[in-house]
Amino acid sequence: MIRKLFLVLLFFSFFQIESQNLDTSNIVVDTSSSSQLYTKCFENLNQGNEIFLKYPGFQSSKFCSLITCSFLLSYKEADLQIAGEQRLIGIATQLFKEGNPVYLISGLDSSFEAAKKNENLEDDNHIVYISYSECISPAFLRKAAEIVNQQTDRLTKQKYLK
């Protein structure tokens, strides 16, 4: 009887241990155009370079993508926020000129909404929608989205006024 109990405990502990093993085959890498544009590094950005000289910790950092420049808006220092804003405007402008205007969206199921809108990029000025948050997002990400979206809107309107 004790032997059967021991075997049952051993059996269950095996499954418990096995269920804790990580299966890396389930890792999903997002290769969508929206994800690539959100993380695309623009090496030629120079907005705010003089500000970064004041902060030694930032001199080795690369603030060259929408996501990384968005984080600059999270700092309390106004000059870092201004550098972030300028870089976000620069990136939105470069993406527009490349023919990849972007619009940042958030909210419940925004990733599904972005995927659906991105199925046909010929429908609305070739805008690529990027979901940056599904539910609650920090204020600095909302501000970054506002900056990028305003610049995209501004450039789109200019294009059609010509």
Side-chain angles (χ1 to χ4, degrees), residues 70 73 104 106 132-133 135-149:
S70 296
L73 303 179
L104 304 177
S106 71
Y132 66 91
S133 176
C135 289
I136 299 173
S137 60
F140 72 90
L141 285 180
R142 291 191 304 273
K143 185 173 181 180
E146 183 180 311
I147 292 165
V148 170
N149 296 348

Side-chain angles (χ1 to χ4, degrees), residues 66 73 85-86 88-93 96 101-105 127-129 132 141-159:
L66 289 171
L73 303 179
E85 289 176 25
Q86 291 171 344
L88 287 168
I89 290 169
I91 292 171
T93 302
F96 185 86
V102 297
Y103 208 80
L104 304 177
I105 61 173
I127 292 176
V128 177
Y129 292 87
Y132 66 91
L141 285 180
R142 291 191 304 273
K143 185 173 181 180
E146 183 180 311
I147 292 165
V148 170
N149 296 348
Q150 285 177 353
Q151 181 66 4
T152 298
D153 287 341
R154 190 176 305 117
L155 294 168
T156 303
K157 287 177 187 170
Q158 286 177 359
K159 177 182 173 183

Side-chain angles (χ1 to χ4, degrees), residues 18-32:
E18 187 63 31
S19 69
Q20 292 176 4
N21 287 339
L22 296 178
D23 183 7
T24 58
S25 65
N26 290 335
I27 295 174
V28 177
V29 176
D30 187 358
T31 58
S32 66

Side-chain angles (χ1 to χ4, degrees), residues 30-38 66 95 99-106 109-132 134 149 152:
D30 187 358
T31 58
S32 66
S33 59
S34 61
S35 175
Q36 290 176 10
L37 293 176
Y38 197 43
L66 289 171
L95 287 169
N100 295 312
V102 297
Y103 208 80
L104 304 177
I105 61 173
S106 71
D109 292 334
S110 63
S111 60
F112 296 115
E113 179 185 349
K116 184 177 180 183
K117 287 183 175 190
N118 291 338
E119 285 176 1
N120 180 9
L121 296 176
E122 304 296 322
D123 62 349
D124 57 357
N125 305 318
H126 307 281
I127 292 176
V128 177
Y129 292 87
I130 299 172
S131 171
Y132 66 91
E134 282 294 321
N149 296 348
T152 298

